[in-house]
Amino acid sequence: MASCNFQSQLLSIMEVLAKAAVAEINKRVDDSCAVIRLEVTQSQRDIDVLKRKCQMMEGELKKTRVRRKVFYPMASARSSYPVKIVLNKQRSNSQWRDGEMAVEEDSQHQPTDVEQRAETEPILIKDEETTEDVWKTDTQDELRITGEESSSKSGQPSSFEQRQFDEDFITQPNISPEDSMEHYPNSDGPEEPGTPRCTSVEKSKVFSTEQHRPAEDENSQELVMVKDEKEEELDQTTALAGPDQFVMDETDGQLWTSVDPGRHTDGHPDFSFHSTEEYSQNISIFPSQSGLPSLPTMTDAVGPSVHSSRGKPHANMFSAAAHMKKHVRTLADETRQQMPEGQSSEMLNSNNDGNSLALQPRQHQHRASEATVRMSECMTGSNMATTSTFSGYSLSRSSFNMVKRMRTQWRSGGTTGEKPYTCEQCGRSFTKQYNLIRHAVVHSGEKPYECTQCGKCFTQRSSMKSHQRTHIGESPVSQHVVPPYPGDPHTSLMLSQTRWNK
DNA sequence: CCGTGCCCCGATTAGTAC
DNA sequence: GTACTAATCGGGGCACGG
C-alpha cells in the first residue's frame, strides 16, 4: 500500500514536472523562433542593401574600366603577368602612377576632370577594393536601416571578445562569411630573394579597415547592453538546465557534444555540421585583436591581418561569431524556404522535442556564443585558470588540462589529424595556423614571392624556389649561364624571359 | 620552458604542352 | 599518355619572446 501510494505520488510529480517542462520548452521555442524571424527579416534587408551596393559598385567598376581603357590602353600589354597588374594595384600604386604619368607626359595630355579624378583615386581594378568600400558604407547603411544603433559613444566594453560577438551576431547582420576573414594573418610582406614585389594586398587597406573602429565604438554601448541581456537569459537557461547536465566529455574532446544533437534530423545538416565541427574549430583558431577592422573581405583581410593579428594571441571571436551567425541564418533561410509560414516554429518544436539535450535555437546561439568566448579564452590561455564553465557546461580541472593539451596539439600541428584551423572562405581546414595563413593568399590572389630571374610571382617561397630550380636546369646552356644564386639576374632573366614568353 | 610564428622540405594535385 | 611545372598543403624544426 505504502509503495503504491508513493508510486502514485511520484507519478503525479513527474506529470507536473513534465507539463512544466513542455510548457517551458514551448515558450522558449517560440521565443527562439521570434529571434530567427528577426534574423530572417534583417537578412532580407541586408540582401537588399547589398544588392543596391552591388549595383552601385558594378556601375563604378564599369566606369573605372572604361576610364582605364581610355587612359591606360597599354596597361595590359605592359606586363606579361596580368595578375601582377591587378594584384599590385595598391602597393605599386606609385609605380603605376609613375608609368601613367610618363604616358601622360609623353602625350602632353591635359588632364580632364575625369583624369584628375583618376589621379586622385586609386584605379579600381580588382573587386575587393570596391567590396571594401561597400563595407565602409554598409555599416552606416545597416545602422540606418535597423535604427538600432546608439549614437552615443561608450567606454570600453567589459570584454572585447564579447563585444565582437555581439556586434556581429546581433547588430550587424549583413556580415557575410567572406567578410569575416580579416583575422587571417598574412604571409607578411616577404623579404629577400623572392622578395614580395607582387604583393596584392596593400597597406592602405590596413589603414582603411582600421578606420572602422570608431564606428564600432559607436555601437559598443548598445552592444554591451545586449550582451548583458543575453547573459541574463543565458544564466537563466543554464541554471534551468543545470550545470551538471553538460559535463564536457574528456575522452573524445567533443566540447560540443551536447550543443547541437539532432540537427541532422531536422533537415539542416549543414547547420549541424558547422556547428559541431567548424564552430569548435573556429573557436580555437582565430586570433583576436582589440580594435578589429570592421568588415573587410577575405581578400581585404589578408593584408591587415598580417599587421594586426600578429602577436595578439587572443582568439578573434568576431570571425567565429560571424561564422556562427552565417549558419544561424542558413538555418533560418532554409527554414523559411522549406516550410510554409507558421510551420517553422512547430517544426522546430518537434525537433527539439525529439531530443532531450537539444538546445532551443536561441539558447543554442547564446550558449554557443558564450561558449565561444569561453572557449577562446581557454584556447588562448588568456583565462585558463579562471574559466570554469562553458556557459553552464561544467568543466573540470582535468577538462581544462584536456583543453590545454588539445590546444597545444592543434597549435603545434599535432598528429591527431585534427584540423582546427578553418578557412571561412572555402571551408578548408588545416592542421596548423600558419597553414591557414598561408592558405589565405589563395583567396587574396597575393603572390608575394617573385622570381628574381624571370619576375614570375608565386604564392609560396618554396614554389618560387622550385621554380628557380627550373631556371637552373632548363637547359645545358642555362646551367652554365645562370648563376646558382641569382647574383646576376640579367643574363638569366633574358634566358628565362624567352622561355616564359614563348 | 612554453607558445607562437615562421621557414623549409617533400608530397600531392592540377594544368599544360608535346 | 607522359613530362613538366605551378599551386597547394602537411609536417618537422628552428628562432624568438614572454
Side-chain angles (χ1 to χ4, degrees):
Chain A
M1 283 294 284
S3 64
C4 196
N5 231 351
F6 176 73
Q7 281 183 355
S8 63
Q9 287 180 358
L10 193 61
L11 200 63
S12 62
I13 290 172
M14 289 179 68
E15 284 179 359
V16 170
L17 288 176
K19 286 178 182 175
V22 169
E24 183 67 18
I25 288 170
N26 288 335
K27 176 187 169 188
R28 291 184 179 276
V29 166
D30 291 341
D31 196 24
S32 303
C33 289
V35 173
I36 291 177
R37 286 195 200 100
L38 182 62
E39 283 279 337
V40 171
T41 306
Q42 289 179 344
S43 298
Q44 287 175 330
R45 286 199 296 248
D46 300 342
I47 290 169
D48 293 339
V49 171
L50 289 174
K51 279 180 180 175
R52 285 199 296 270
K53 288 286 172 188
C54 217
Q55 291 170 354
M56 284 176 52
M57 298 319 297
E58 283 178 359
E60 282 290 322
L61 191 61
K62 285 176 183 175
K63 290 178 186 174
T64 305
R65 280 175 177 162
V66 170
R67 255 183 263 145
R68 182 165 174 260
K69 281 181 182 175
V70 170
F71 297 111
Y72 315 117
M74 296 299 290
S76 60
R78 278 186 295 187
S79 170
S80 57
Y81 305 106
V83 172
K84 192 172 177 178
I85 294 173
V86 171
L87 299 180
N88 274 340
K89 63 182 184 302
Q90 214 69 320
R91 182 189 153 279
S92 60
N93 252 351
S94 57
Q95 301 170 0
W96 257 55
R97 196 72 59 207
D98 293 342
E100 292 153 9
M101 291 302 291
V103 172
E104 290 178 8
E105 286 172 4
D106 290 345
S107 60
Q108 295 294 321
H109 188 69
Q110 292 297 323
T112 63
D113 289 343
V114 177
E115 272 185 287
Q116 287 174 350
R117 187 181 169 193
E119 287 179 3
T120 55
E121 294 176 359
I123 305 300
L124 301 181
I125 300 174
K126 201 178 177 185
D127 283 347
E128 299 107 61
E129 188 76 12
T130 59
T131 306
E132 184 192 5
D133 292 339
V134 169
W135 282 118
K136 280 179 182 176
T137 56
D138 263 359
T139 303
Q140 298 169 354
D141 289 347
E142 168 65 21
L143 295 178
R144 279 199 301 272
I145 288 172
T146 58
E148 295 174 353
E149 79 286 2
S150 170
S151 59
S152 62
K153 300 197 175 186
S154 71
Q156 286 290 337
S158 56
S159 165
F160 170 75
E161 291 171 351
Q162 291 174 356
R163 183 170 70 92
Q164 283 296 316
F165 170 79
D166 288 332
E167 190 171 7
D168 167 59
F169 199 73
I170 300 167
T171 66
Q172 295 194 11
N174 58 345
I175 296 172
S176 62
E178 62 269 22
D179 296 320
S180 56
M181 295 301 296
E182 89 294 332
H183 58 279
Y184 279 89
N186 185 14
S187 58
D188 48 355
E191 336 65 30
E192 340 128 62
T195 304
R197 287 199 260 148
C198 298
T199 307
S200 67
V201 182
E202 41 311 276
K203 302 280 187 286
S204 64
K205 283 185 179 177
V206 179
F207 301 124
S208 63
T209 50
E210 287 177 349
Q211 290 170 357
H212 291 183
R213 293 179 190 178
E216 290 181 13
D217 292 337
E218 289 179 2
N219 299 331
S220 56
Q221 183 175 19
E222 185 214 6
L223 294 171
V224 173
M225 291 170 56
V226 175
K227 176 64 186 174
D228 291 339
E229 294 174 4
K230 282 182 164 285
E231 281 186 329
E232 287 178 8
E233 295 176 6
L234 188 63
D235 292 340
Q236 292 174 3
T237 56
T238 51
L240 183 74
D244 295 335
Q245 221 171 330
F246 300 98
V247 177
M248 194 167 113
D249 191 337
E250 295 183 25
T251 58
D252 58 4
Q254 282 283 1
L255 304 177
W256 282 92
T257 49
S258 63
V259 169
D260 199 18
R263 281 283 177 214
H264 285 287
T265 62
D266 64 3
H268 305 292
D270 183 59
F271 178 78
S272 173
F273 168 79
H274 290 295
S275 62
T276 54
E277 286 193 22
E278 288 191 26
Y279 283 178
S280 60
Q281 292 171 352
N282 288 332
I283 280 166
S284 63
I285 301 167
F286 305 108
S288 86
Q289 54 239 31
S290 59
L292 277 168
S294 201
L295 301 168
T297 64
M298 164 80 174
T299 47
D300 288 336
V302 174
S305 60
V306 171
H307 310 275
S308 57
S309 69
R310 259 188 202 162
K312 296 179 180 177
H314 295 288
N316 180 356
M317 301 323 304
F318 172 72
S319 54
H323 206 69
M324 187 180 301
K325 183 181 178 182
K326 177 184 75 172
H327 294 300
V328 170
R329 284 202 196 137
T330 302
L331 172 64
D333 291 341
E334 289 179 2
T335 304
R336 186 183 60 203
Q337 291 172 0
Q338 296 177 5
M339 297 179 225
E341 196 67 39
Q343 291 186 10
S344 56
S345 62
E346 298 173 5
M347 194 67 154
L348 291 172
N349 241 335
S350 63
N351 290 334
N352 282 335
D353 288 342
N355 214 315
S356 60
L357 281 180
L359 298 175
Q360 292 140 20
R362 192 171 182 180
Q363 288 176 299
H364 170 78
Q365 294 172 17
H366 295 174
R367 287 182 178 172
S369 64
E370 177 75 4
T372 297
V373 174
R374 305 272 187 183
M375 187 65 173
S376 72
E377 291 168 349
C378 289
M379 288 305 175
T380 57
S382 62
N383 202 15
M384 180 70 76
T386 56
T387 302
S388 58
T389 63
F390 278 14
S391 171
Y393 301 73
S394 292
L395 199 58
S396 65
R397 182 176 294 275
S398 57
S399 298
F400 272 126
N401 293 334
M402 186 272 296
V403 170
K404 191 174 183 179
R405 282 200 308 273
M406 289 169 63
R407 184 176 118 220
T408 303
Q409 267 188 342
W410 289 350
R411 285 187 172 160
S412 61
T415 58
T416 61
E418 196 104 28
K419 294 182 176 179
Y421 303 100
T422 303
C423 173
E424 293 195 357
Q425 190 96 347
C426 66
R428 269 194 86 145
S429 299
F430 301 91
T431 56
K432 294 168 72 173
Q433 187 176 16
Y434 188 74
N435 290 338
L436 174 60
I437 297 168
R438 187 175 56 186
H439 164 79
V441 302
V442 175
H443 299 299
S444 70
E446 184 181 11
K447 295 184 176 183
Y449 301 100
E450 182 178 14
C451 176
T452 55
Q453 300 183 35
C454 67
K456 188 169 172 58
C457 298
F458 301 90
T459 56
Q460 294 186 16
R461 191 191 302 271
S462 60
S463 298
M464 181 198 66
K465 286 190 173 183
S466 62
H467 161 77
Q468 286 180 332
R469 284 195 289 267
T470 65
H471 287 309
I472 297 174
E474 67 181 359
S475 74
V477 174
S478 65
Q479 287 184 20
H480 297 292
V481 174
V482 178
Y485 227 73
D488 181 17
H490 298 294
T491 51
S492 57
L493 177 64
M494 290 167 62
L495 292 170
S496 57
Q497 285 288 6
T498 58
R499 178 189 177 98
W500 280 107
N501 293 333
K502 70 180 180 179

